[in-house]
Coordinates of all heavy atoms in Angstrom, one line a residue:
V38 N -11.9 -78.5 -77.2 CA -13.3 -78.2 -77.5 C -14.1 -78.0 -76.2 O -15.0 -77.0 -76.2 CB -13.8 -79.4 -78.5 CG1 -15.3 -79.1 -78.6 CG2 -13.1 -79.3 -79.7
E39 N -13.8 -78.7 -75.2 CA -14.7 -78.5 -74.0 C -14.4 -77.2 -73.3 O -15.3 -76.6 -72.7 CB -14.2 -79.6 -72.9 CG -14.6 -81.1 -73.4 CD -13.8 -81.7 -74.4 OE1 -12.5 -81.3 -74.5 OE2 -14.2 -82.5 -75.1
Q40 N -13.2 -76.6 -73.4 CA -12.9 -75.3 -72.8 C -13.5 -74.2 -73.7 O -14.2 -73.3 -73.2 CB -11.3 -75.0 -72.9 CG -10.6 -75.8 -71.8 CD -9.1 -75.7 -71.9 OE1 -8.6 -75.7 -73.1 NE2 -8.4 -75.5 -70.9
V41 N -13.6 -74.5 -75.0 CA -14.4 -73.5 -75.9 C -15.7 -73.6 -75.6 O -16.6 -72.6 -75.6 CB -13.9 -73.9 -77.4 CG1 -14.8 -73.0 -78.3 CG2 -12.5 -73.6 -77.6
E42 N -16.4 -74.7 -75.5 CA -17.7 -74.9 -75.1 C -18.1 -74.1 -73.8 O -19.0 -73.4 -73.7 CB -18.1 -76.3 -74.8 CG -18.2 -77.2 -76.0 CD -18.4 -78.6 -75.7 OE1 -18.3 -79.1 -74.5 OE2 -18.7 -79.4 -76.7
G43 N -17.2 -74.2 -72.8 CA -17.4 -73.5 -71.6 C -17.3 -71.9 -71.7 O -18.1 -71.2 -71.2
L44 N -16.4 -71.5 -72.7 CA -16.4 -70.1 -72.9 C -17.7 -69.5 -73.5 O -18.2 -68.6 -73.2 CB -15.2 -69.8 -73.9 CG -15.2 -68.4 -74.5 CD1 -14.8 -67.4 -73.4 CD2 -14.2 -68.3 -75.6
I45 N -18.2 -70.4 -74.4 CA -19.4 -70.0 -75.2 C -20.6 -69.9 -74.1 O -21.4 -68.9 -74.1 CB -19.7 -70.9 -76.3 CG1 -18.7 -70.7 -77.4 CG2 -21.2 -70.7 -76.8 CD1 -18.9 -71.8 -78.6
Q46 N -20.6 -71.0 -73.3 CA -21.6 -70.9 -72.3 C -21.5 -69.7 -71.3 O -22.5 -69.1 -70.9 CB -21.5 -72.2 -71.4 CG -22.1 -73.5 -72.1 CD -21.7 -74.8 -71.4 OE1 -20.8 -74.8 -70.5 NE2 -22.4 -75.8 -71.7
K47 N -20.3 -69.5 -70.9 CA -20.0 -68.3 -70.0 C -20.5 -66.9 -70.7 O -21.2 -66.1 -70.1 CB -18.5 -68.2 -69.6 CG -18.2 -67.0 -68.8 CD -16.6 -66.9 -68.6 CE -16.1 -65.9 -67.6 NZ -16.4 -64.5 -68.1
V48 N -20.0 -66.7 -72.0 CA -20.4 -65.5 -72.7 C -21.9 -65.4 -72.9 O -22.5 -64.3 -72.7 CB -19.6 -65.5 -74.1 CG1 -20.2 -64.5 -75.0 CG2 -18.1 -65.4 -73.9
K49 N -22.6 -66.5 -73.1 CA -24.1 -66.5 -73.4 C -24.8 -66.1 -72.0 O -25.9 -65.5 -72.1 CB -24.6 -67.8 -73.8 CG -24.2 -68.1 -75.2 CD -24.7 -69.5 -75.8 CE -26.3 -69.2 -76.1 NZ -26.6 -68.3 -77.1
K50 N -24.2 -66.2 -70.9 CA -24.9 -65.9 -69.5 C -24.7 -64.4 -69.3 O -25.3 -63.9 -68.5 CB -24.3 -66.7 -68.4 CG -24.7 -68.2 -68.4 CD -24.0 -68.9 -67.4 CE -24.3 -70.3 -67.5 NZ -23.5 -71.2 -66.5
E51 N -23.7 -63.7 -69.9 CA -23.4 -62.3 -69.8 C -24.2 -61.5 -70.7 O -24.2 -61.7 -71.9 CB -22.0 -62.1 -69.9 CG -21.2 -62.9 -68.8 CD -19.6 -62.7 -69.1 OE1 -19.2 -62.0 -69.9 OE2 -18.9 -63.3 -68.3
E52 N -25.0 -60.5 -70.1 CA -25.8 -59.6 -71.0 C -25.0 -58.8 -71.9 O -25.5 -58.4 -72.9 CB -26.6 -58.7 -70.0 CG -27.7 -57.9 -70.6 CD -28.8 -58.7 -71.1 OE1 -29.0 -59.8 -70.6 OE2 -29.5 -58.2 -72.0
N53 N -23.7 -58.5 -71.5 CA -23.0 -57.5 -72.3 C -21.8 -58.2 -73.1 O -20.7 -57.6 -73.4 CB -22.6 -56.2 -71.7 CG -21.6 -56.6 -70.4 OD1 -21.5 -57.8 -70.1 ND2 -21.1 -55.6 -69.8
S54 N -21.9 -59.5 -73.3 CA -20.8 -60.1 -74.0 C -21.5 -61.2 -75.1 O -22.6 -61.5 -75.0 CB -20.0 -61.2 -73.2 OG -19.3 -60.4 -72.2
S55 N -20.8 -61.4 -76.1 CA -21.4 -62.3 -77.2 C -20.3 -62.8 -78.1 O -19.2 -62.1 -78.1 CB -22.5 -61.6 -78.0 OG -23.3 -62.5 -78.7
I56 N -20.6 -63.8 -78.8 CA -19.7 -64.2 -80.0 C -20.6 -64.3 -81.1 O -21.6 -65.0 -81.3 CB -19.1 -65.6 -79.7 CG1 -18.3 -65.5 -78.4 CG2 -18.3 -66.1 -80.9 CD1 -17.8 -66.9 -77.9
F57 N -20.1 -63.6 -82.3 CA -20.9 -63.5 -83.5 C -20.1 -64.3 -84.6 O -18.8 -64.0 -84.6 CB -21.2 -62.2 -84.0 CG -22.0 -61.4 -83.0 CD1 -21.6 -60.4 -82.3 CD2 -23.4 -61.8 -82.6 CE1 -22.4 -59.6 -81.5 CE2 -24.2 -61.1 -81.8 CZ -23.6 -60.0 -81.0
L58 N -20.7 -65.2 -85.2 CA -20.0 -65.9 -86.3 C -20.6 -65.4 -87.7 O -21.9 -65.4 -87.8 CB -20.3 -67.4 -86.2 CG -19.8 -68.1 -84.8 CD1 -20.1 -69.5 -84.8 CD2 -18.4 -67.8 -84.7
S59 N -19.7 -65.4 -88.7 CA -20.2 -65.3 -90.0 C -20.0 -66.5 -90.7 O -19.1 -67.3 -90.5 CB -19.2 -64.3 -90.8 OG -19.4 -64.3 -92.2
E60 N -21.2 -67.0 -91.5 CA -21.2 -68.2 -92.0 C -21.6 -68.1 -93.5 O -22.4 -67.3 -93.8 CB -22.3 -69.1 -91.2 CG -22.3 -70.5 -91.6 CD -23.2 -71.2 -90.6 OE1 -24.5 -71.0 -90.8 OE2 -22.9 -72.0 -89.7
L61 N -21.0 -68.9 -94.4 CA -21.3 -68.9 -95.7 C -21.3 -70.4 -96.2 O -20.4 -71.2 -95.9 CB -20.4 -68.1 -96.6 CG -20.5 -68.2 -98.1 CD1 -21.9 -67.3 -98.4 CD2 -19.4 -67.4 -98.9
N62 N -22.4 -70.8 -96.8 CA -22.6 -72.2 -97.3 C -22.3 -73.2 -96.2 O -21.6 -74.3 -96.3 CB -21.7 -72.5 -98.4 CG -22.1 -71.6 -99.7 OD1 -23.2 -71.3 -99.7 ND2 -21.1 -71.3 -100.3
G63 N -22.7 -72.9 -94.8 CA -22.5 -73.9 -93.7 C -21.1 -73.7 -93.1 O -20.8 -74.6 -92.2
K64 N -20.3 -72.9 -93.6 CA -18.9 -73.0 -93.0 C -18.6 -71.6 -92.4 O -18.9 -70.4 -92.9 CB -17.8 -73.0 -94.3 CG -18.0 -74.3 -95.0 CD -17.1 -75.3 -94.6 CE -17.0 -76.5 -95.5 NZ -17.0 -77.7 -94.9
V65 N -18.1 -71.6 -91.2 CA -17.7 -70.4 -90.5 C -16.5 -69.7 -91.1 O -15.4 -70.4 -91.3 CB -17.5 -70.6 -89.0 CG1 -17.1 -69.5 -88.3 CG2 -18.7 -71.2 -88.4
N66 N -16.6 -68.4 -91.5 CA -15.5 -67.8 -92.1 C -14.9 -66.5 -91.3 O -14.0 -65.9 -91.7 CB -15.8 -67.4 -93.6 CG -17.0 -66.5 -93.6 OD1 -17.5 -65.9 -92.6 ND2 -17.6 -66.4 -94.7
G67 N -15.6 -66.2 -90.3 CA -15.1 -65.1 -89.4 C -15.9 -64.9 -88.2 O -17.0 -65.6 -88.0
H68 N -15.4 -64.0 -87.2 CA -16.0 -63.8 -85.9 C -15.8 -62.5 -85.4 O -14.9 -61.8 -85.7 CB -15.5 -64.9 -84.9 CG -14.3 -64.5 -84.4 ND1 -14.1 -64.1 -83.2 CD2 -12.9 -64.6 -84.9 CE1 -12.7 -63.8 -82.9 NE2 -12.1 -64.1 -84.0
V69 N -16.8 -62.0 -84.6 CA -16.4 -60.8 -83.7 C -16.9 -61.5 -82.2 O -17.9 -62.0 -82.0 CB -17.3 -59.7 -83.9 CG1 -17.3 -58.7 -82.8 CG2 -16.8 -59.1 -85.2
T70 N -15.9 -61.4 -81.4 CA -16.0 -61.9 -80.0 C -16.0 -60.7 -79.1 O -15.1 -59.8 -79.2 CB -15.0 -63.0 -79.6 OG1 -15.1 -64.1 -80.4 CG2 -15.1 -63.3 -78.2
V71 N -16.9 -60.5 -78.4 CA -17.2 -59.3 -77.5 C -17.3 -59.8 -76.0 O -18.1 -60.5 -75.6 CB -18.6 -58.6 -77.8 CG1 -18.6 -57.2 -77.2 CG2 -18.8 -58.5 -79.3

Side-chain angles (χ1 to χ4, degrees):
V38 173
E39 293 77 23
Q40 288 170 321
V41 176
E42 287 173 351
L44 171 66
I45 293 171
Q46 288 171 335
K47 179 182 181 298
V48 165
K49 287 185 76 58
K50 290 178 188 172
E51 296 174 2
E52 188 68 20
N53 62 348
S54 297
S55 194
I56 299 170
F57 301 115
L58 301 176
S59 171
E60 189 177 74
L61 182 65
N62 299 325
K64 303 261 191 226
V65 175
N66 59 17
H68 79 103
V69 168
T70 300
V71 191

